[in-house]
Amino acid sequence: MKKISNIFLSVCLLICCSCESVLDKEPITGYSYQNFWNEPAQASAALNGAYFRLQTTLNTEFITYGEARADNLDVKLYNAGTYALANNTLNADYAYTDWGNFYRVIGQVNLIIKNVQEMKAKGLYVNKDAEYNRILGQALGLRALCYLWMVKVWGNVPLVTDPVEYDGDINAFKRTRTDTLQVYNQISTDLLRAQPLLPASYTDNRKTRATLTKGAIDAMLTDYYMWRNKLDSALITSNRILSNTTQYKLANLYDSSIDFFSKPHVDIDNTEYAKMFIEGFSAESIFEIAFSYAEGTNSGLASLFGGGSAVVFYYVHPAFVSIFSSTDLRLRNNFKSESQIFKMFPKGTFDRAKENDKNVILYRLADIILLRAEALVLKGDLNGAWTLLKRVRERVFGVASATNTSNNNLTGPTGSTTESNFKAMTIADAHEVILEERRKELCFEGKRWFDLVRTGKAISKMESINGLKSQENILFPINLNIIRQNPLIEQNEYYK
């Protein structure tokens, strides 16, 4: 391990300015290394700094990496980088090809992981086991989260698990790229170590949704296992989440007493489903990155969505709108018009400055339900998969009945004929049904591109749209500045 001496640890915290702050922030911006790690409160402050850095890392980037190259979005506001994503003309000059922000989170949590264990050995956590476990478990989880994103985006990446002295140059550790299998092993090790350390919830619901818990780790594990096609493991971890019915519940949307399509948008904005995105911290949320205008943090989502064509980067792709049925309430919730994406925003007027602090939901219950349904389909259990698909659809269309115009008991989305047809499908066809449901349910949440990649459908779905035809083209290029700073880094093959 590289020796660290007189290193300045940047915690990047904000002064606490709200009694409803998600994190217990302290008015400290940095520490001299020798005077740090002397009490548990300092480790908590460092952990808050890691979450702060995560805000920067996956601010709008969760769309850049997880959706912008897929088939849901239509570019509206000219930007060379955005057009390159949509048209599959990536090159290593674009800022989003730089993995530096991920390593800034990793650098912070590597220090935490090392030092809290040393603090415990020195007796600084006597009678504070829960606090120690919380800090260590969250740090391990954040490291795993960053590496999971990076291997999805770039493939082989340098694996750094020891605190290194880089003095502002994130590539000063001068490591080569590590084989993906070794990175996967570290992700798995960190998550399996973190899960038993963390509580199921915290006394503050906002912290339960916006900091790591057992459920958040299980969601990451489910994501990881599905990415690796480890279906049996994904079924175990997803079941733990679905079994926690006290903490995780699907947000209500359908209401038989309201015709949302004939009412002003405000009616659907008042549903639990809409508030999940507009206000955050819902009972469906498993883990989200919290932002707050009052605390000076901004998610940047209004620059992507939530406005006219002259102010936002994306509208919805016209072909995507057409896959929704006319009675699908997600149409009313997701779009202000046939083209404007307002999923995270009220459909009426809103203050683009003050309301540009919408949380970024990384995992929610519907995501895990549909991943579990997908795993069941791939294992040939179409009956089990239908039960889960039905749950998601009934939230949107209501329970099938002869009087439900949105969900007829025979031919509706969960009607008996639809059910019989699904259960009679081939595994490939049923799998496509689940993926299309994920596309509709999780659109604009950074899932679609990764779904296409992990299921091997990226080329077949995208070639006619943007010319994607090479497997090597699926990975992102590595920024040229990274390669210049660290010649040991080799560019991804397609971009050489």
Side-chain angles (χ1 to χ4, degrees):
M1 180 180 295
K2 191 169 185 179
K3 183 179 179 181
I4 305 174
S5 61
N6 198 29
I7 182 175
F8 193 81
L9 175 66
S10 174
V11 182
C12 301
L13 298 181
L14 298 172
I15 294 176
C16 180
C17 58
S18 169
C19 63
E20 294 184 338
S21 175
V22 174
L23 301 175
D24 293 325
K25 299 187 177 85
E26 298 182 20
I28 302 172
T29 56
Y31 295 95
S32 173
Y33 189 80
Q34 293 95 330
N35 296 325
F36 203 54
W37 311 113
N38 291 322
E39 57 181 277
Q42 292 174 326
S44 293
L47 182 63
N48 291 344
Y51 279 104
F52 185 85
R53 285 179 168 175
L54 187 65
Q55 290 176 329
T56 302
T57 304
L58 292 175
N59 189 312
T60 56
E61 289 77 8
F62 79 107
I63 294 296
T64 298
Y65 300 130
E67 192 143 1
R69 296 180 70 186
D71 47 2
N72 290 347
L73 299 172
D74 187 20
V75 176
K76 296 306 293 182
L77 186 65
Y78 177 78
N79 174 278
T82 304
Y83 270 82
L85 289 164
N87 297 316
N88 195 40
T89 55
L90 302 180
N91 66 60
D93 288 322
Y94 294 119
Y96 49 69
T97 64
D98 189 332
W99 56 39
N101 281 333
F102 286 102
Y103 279 107
R104 289 180 179 90
V105 179
I106 291 168
Q108 184 99 337
V109 295
N110 281 345
L111 285 166
I112 295 168
I113 292 166
K114 171 184 180 289
N115 284 284
V116 294
Q117 293 179 101
E118 291 184 356
M119 291 168 68
K120 183 175 176 64
K122 294 175 183 176
L124 297 179
Y125 278 99
V126 173
N127 298 322
K128 294 182 179 181
D129 287 344
E131 175 70 0
Y132 168 79
N133 290 342
R134 179 184 71 84
I135 299 296
L136 180 58
Q138 291 190 54
L140 290 165
L142 289 173
R143 183 167 70 183
L145 178 68
C146 288
Y147 276 119
L148 182 57
W149 273 83
M150 286 198 294
V151 295
K152 289 180 179 181
V153 175
W154 290 284
N156 296 344
V157 295
L159 180 61
V160 184
T161 59
D162 53 314
V164 295
E165 187 176 357
Y166 52 82
D167 197 27
D169 176 6
I170 204 67
N171 291 295
F173 44 73
K174 294 297 186 287
R175 308 282 177 90
T176 60
R177 297 171 71 186
T178 306
D179 183 80
T180 305
L181 286 177
Q182 189 175 340
V183 182
Y184 283 147
N185 288 338
Q186 187 63 53
I187 293 168
S188 175
T189 297
D190 282 349
L191 291 175
L192 292 174
R193 186 180 174 194
Q195 204 272 354
L197 294 174
L198 291 172
S201 63
Y202 301 98
T203 54
D204 182 345
N205 178 62
R206 290 159 63 91
K207 289 184 180 179
T208 296
R209 310 299 169 180
T211 56
L212 295 182
T213 59
K214 284 186 185 296
I217 298 298
D218 279 331
M220 279 189 250
L221 280 166
T222 304
D223 183 5
Y224 165 78
Y225 288 136
M226 291 300 290
W227 185 260
R228 301 287 319 278
N229 197 33
K230 295 180 178 291
L231 303 179
D232 290 333
S233 296
L235 290 173
I236 292 171
T237 54
S238 62
N239 185 60
R240 291 202 292 249
I241 295 172
L242 270 61
S243 296
N244 189 353
T245 56
T246 300
Q247 186 162 319
Y248 303 120
K249 300 176 182 178
L250 289 177
N252 293 329
L253 178 54
Y254 178 82
D255 186 335
S256 61
S257 67
I258 301 176
D259 180 359
F260 287 106
F261 288 99
S262 66
K263 296 285 187 178
H265 269 113
V266 67
D267 288 273
I268 202 158
D269 284 344
N270 285 330
T271 63
E272 288 182 357
Y273 188 83
K275 289 180 178 179
M276 170 167 55
F277 305 105
I278 297 171
E279 299 177 1
F281 311 111
S282 78
E284 185 167 331
S285 171
I286 300 173
F287 179 54
E288 57 194 72
I289 304 174
F291 296 86
S292 170
Y293 172 77
E295 296 173 13
T297 55
N298 195 323
S299 66
L301 280 170
S303 67
L304 299 181
F305 316 125
S309 61
V311 296
V312 296
F313 285 112
Y314 296 111
Y315 269 23
V316 62
H317 195 287
F320 177 45
V321 176
S322 67
I323 77 169
F324 289 87
S325 72
S326 61
T327 57
D328 193 324
L329 291 178
R330 291 170 296 198
L331 273 174
R332 191 67 165 162
N333 181 75
N334 294 348
F335 311 118
K336 185 174 181 179
S337 65
E338 290 186 356
S339 56
Q340 290 177 283
I341 300 168
F342 267 66
K343 187 172 189 175
M344 292 81 175
F345 298 94
K347 312 306 179 291
T349 58
F350 69 96
D351 189 321
R352 290 179 58 80
K354 292 183 178 180
E355 294 193 55
N356 191 17
D357 61 353
K358 304 309 178 188
N359 293 355
V360 171
I361 301 175
L362 295 184
Y363 296 104
R364 60 184 175 95
L365 182 58
D367 180 8
I368 303 304
I369 288 175
L370 291 172
L371 282 179
R372 181 175 176 80
E374 184 181 343
L376 289 171
V377 162
L378 294 174
K379 288 185 68 67
D381 183 2
L382 272 62
N383 289 334
W386 172 260
T387 298
L388 297 174
L389 178 61
K390 183 179 178 182
R391 283 183 63 185
V392 174
R393 287 184 173 178
E394 285 184 345
R395 183 254 292 279
V396 178
F397 299 97
V399 176
S401 72
T403 58
N404 185 347
T405 57
S406 297
N407 194 4
N408 179 269
N409 63 323
L410 295 177
T411 59
T414 66
S416 58
T417 302
T418 307
E419 176 181 358
S420 298
N421 290 341
F422 178 84
K423 292 179 179 179
M425 287 179 180
T426 64
I427 288 177
D429 288 344
H431 188 203
E432 185 63 28
V433 169
I434 299 298
L435 289 176
E436 282 294 278
E437 196 68 34
R438 283 183 59 80
R439 186 183 181 192
K440 289 183 282 189
E441 176 63 33
L442 302 167
C443 58
F444 322 126
E445 296 180 48
K447 304 289 181 178
R448 178 61 174 173
W449 172 252
F450 291 143
D451 278 355
L452 293 178
V453 172
R454 69 178 173 78
T455 58
K457 296 177 182 289
I459 292 174
S460 63
K461 295 289 186 181
M462 297 306 301
E463 184 174 5
S464 63
I465 297 174
N466 64 15
L468 176 69
K469 60 179 64 176
S470 168
Q471 192 69 27
E472 291 178 334
N473 190 194
I474 288 174
L475 293 175
F476 278 60
I478 300 167
N479 193 273
L480 288 178
N481 286 332
I482 290 175
I483 296 173
R484 292 188 187 107
Q485 293 167 358
N486 181 5
L488 296 177
I489 298 295
E490 185 177 356
Q491 181 63 270
N492 276 324
E493 187 66 31
Y494 184 85
Y495 304 98
K496 289 182 178 178

